[in-house]
Amino acid sequence: MRSDNLRKTILRRYLVALAILAGYYAEIKLIGFELKCPIRAATGLRCPGCGVSRMFLHLSHAEFSAAFNCNQVLFFLVPMFAVTALIKVIWLPEVLMPQSKYYRLGVVFIIVILLAFGVLRNVFDF
């Protein structure tokens, strides 16, 4: 796939994901209904993603301390994901494709961090 077509495809996917997230945000603000974590409902344990909706709600009001308290790891990973998305769309779409060693290393790194956070947040209750 040519680089320009690849960029357009990636950008379209990101825009669809952003539209879904914006719709969910609007739904929370208008109706007040939040999706509940199925892992927490089934086990009582907080998964690595628990608190992310509240984190974004606090960020939308510039309440950074409250946002950080909702999910400490994703508070830092989300900006990293945004920068990676920009790099992927603007400069190096081929480097961050699933076949790339950089992509695979990044995925393993993020999985390890999220798993460690999931365990630690339940053991030490933060």
Side-chain angles (χ1 to χ4, degrees):
M1 187 180 288
R2 280 193 41 230
S3 187
D4 290 339
N5 289 339
L6 183 59
R7 280 189 179 93
K8 288 178 185 176
T9 301
I10 293 167
L11 185 58
R12 248 183 264 121
R13 289 178 185 170
Y14 286 154
L15 290 175
V16 167
L18 191 60
I20 291 169
L21 290 173
Y24 179 57
Y25 173 80
E27 182 268 330
I28 290 173
K29 294 300 276 184
L30 294 173
I31 300 171
F33 175 77
E34 290 184 46
L35 296 173
K36 303 298 179 199
C37 177
I39 293 172
R40 188 160 190 183
T43 66
L45 299 172
R46 293 183 294 166
C47 76
C50 280
V52 74
S53 294
R54 287 185 312 276
M55 181 186 80
F56 280 115
L57 288 172
H58 287 299
L59 285 174
S60 73
H61 295 105
E63 299 167 347
F64 298 107
S65 177
F68 177 77
N69 288 331
C70 289
N71 193 311
Q72 295 84 3
V73 167
L74 288 177
F75 183 82
F76 293 107
L77 284 180
V78 168
M80 187 180 83
F81 293 151
V83 169
T84 303
L86 284 175
I87 290 170
K88 191 171 180 177
V89 170
I90 296 173
W91 293 291
L92 303 166
E94 297 86 8
V95 172
L96 297 172
M97 294 304 291
Q99 310 84 282
S100 164
K101 70 177 180 179
Y102 300 109
Y103 179 89
R104 289 192 303 269
L105 285 171
V107 168
V108 169
F109 173 74
I110 290 167
I111 288 172
V112 167
I113 294 225
L114 289 174
L115 287 174
F117 176 64
V119 170
L120 292 173
R121 81 183 309 192
N122 287 296
V123 170
F124 296 108
D125 196 34
F126 57 86

